[in-house]
Amino acid sequence: MGSTNTYAADLVRSGELYGDARRGGEIAVVCADAQTAGRGRLDHRWTSRPGESFTVSFVVNVPVSIVRDASIGGWLQMIAGLAVLEAIRGACPHRSAEPQLKWPNDIVVGGRKLGGILAEMVPIPDCGERVAIVFGVGLNLNVPVDRLPTENSISLQMLTSDLPDPTALRDELAARIVRDLRLRLTDFEADPQREAKRCLEAMNVVCWTLGKPCEAHFTDGSALQGRAIALNPDASLTMRDRFGALHRVTTADVGVLQNR
């Protein structure tokens, strides 16, 4: 298909998914063997070939009140990232390195990009209390070195010598993500403030961006260079520029500057 996220969002808009949603816990999964028009943050695009990539979208529904609350809503995407890390750890116990998260949405290993997450909110028809969120997860599973998207990319098969069959691995990763995502979202809905604090603690351990020189690119075309010094309680990132001024970044494509 073109994009699992687009397909999943269309299912929500048509009422086929969550047409009578009034509670959470249900997670729909859209898998593709290959994508011809995959989408990332800030309209980045990429394609995939059968057997080489994990191209899966997870559709959840959460209270509108959580999404609209700027003090906690940003953690929803981080929750998806933490679930992906746990799935990789469980499915690939003999990996040679640990996956981490590059704020806000990339999966990295040693600074090299293994994959990314795109979160999109989709209104549920005739349901004002809850809203759907589509988490699109793309991972390089068995991509040959000469076909990696960039020189700074990495594939899961480069981290382990016993990678399972690609289809079996995709299904296991998807199942693990569903289980972890359901638990985390259930807890988050029950006590958002408590779980936001727990997410912050977890992210401080696995966030590869912290402490590194970065450049943030914003949707208006502007950019900011500085050092990432802290994750904030609302899931934003604080950067200190070369003059010592602090900047809170909430939405941006943040890259780590190598050899600085």
Side-chain angles (χ1 to χ4, degrees), residues 63 80 85 92 100 102 129 193 205 226 254 257:
L85 291 191
C92 301
Q100 294 176 283
K102 181 174 77 68
E129 300 87 12
Q193 298 297 334
V205 175
V254 177
L257 300 174

Side-chain angles (χ1 to χ4, degrees), residues 75-92:
W75 289 112
L76 292 170
Q77 179 157 285
M78 307 296 171
I79 284 174
L82 292 170
V84 172
L85 291 191
E86 284 300 315
I88 294 172
R89 294 185 186 117
C92 301

Side-chain angles (χ1 to χ4, degrees), residues 171-209:
D171 290 351
E172 181 179 356
L173 284 170
R176 286 179 179 274
I177 291 172
V178 165
R179 286 195 295 268
D180 197 82
L181 193 57
R182 179 183 289 117
L183 290 173
R184 291 178 186 273
L185 288 175
T186 299
D187 289 345
F188 198 84
E189 186 171 337
D191 193 334
Q193 298 297 334
R194 179 196 66 198
E195 294 306 310
K197 292 179 181 178
R198 290 182 178 177
C199 286
L200 178 58
E201 293 172 358
M203 281 294 297
N204 277 327
V205 175
V206 301
C207 184
W208 183 72
T209 313

Side-chain angles (χ1 to χ4, degrees), residues 7-21 26-30 59 124-125 132:
Y7 184 83
D10 287 344
L11 290 178
V12 175
R13 293 189 184 99
S14 69
E16 190 167 344
L17 280 181
Y18 307 135
D20 57 352
E26 296 180 356
I27 299 179
V29 183
V30 178
V59 193
I124 301 172

Side-chain angles (χ1 to χ4, degrees), residues 87-133:
I88 294 172
R89 294 185 186 117
C92 301
H94 305 300
R95 62 197 176 278
S96 60
E98 286 298 313
Q100 294 176 283
L101 293 175
K102 181 174 77 68
W103 190 95
N105 71 318
D106 284 347
I107 314 297
V108 299
V109 178
R112 300 177 70 181
K113 184 172 179 178
L114 179 66
I117 301 170
L118 174 65
E120 297 181 279
M121 184 179 69
V122 185
I124 301 172
D126 302 319
C127 181
E129 300 87 12
R130 305 186 72 87
V131 65
I133 299 179

Side-chain angles (χ1 to χ4, degrees), residues 36 49 106 139 175 204 206 214:
T36 58
R49 300 187 183 186
D106 284 347
L139 298 170
N204 277 327
V206 301
C214 300

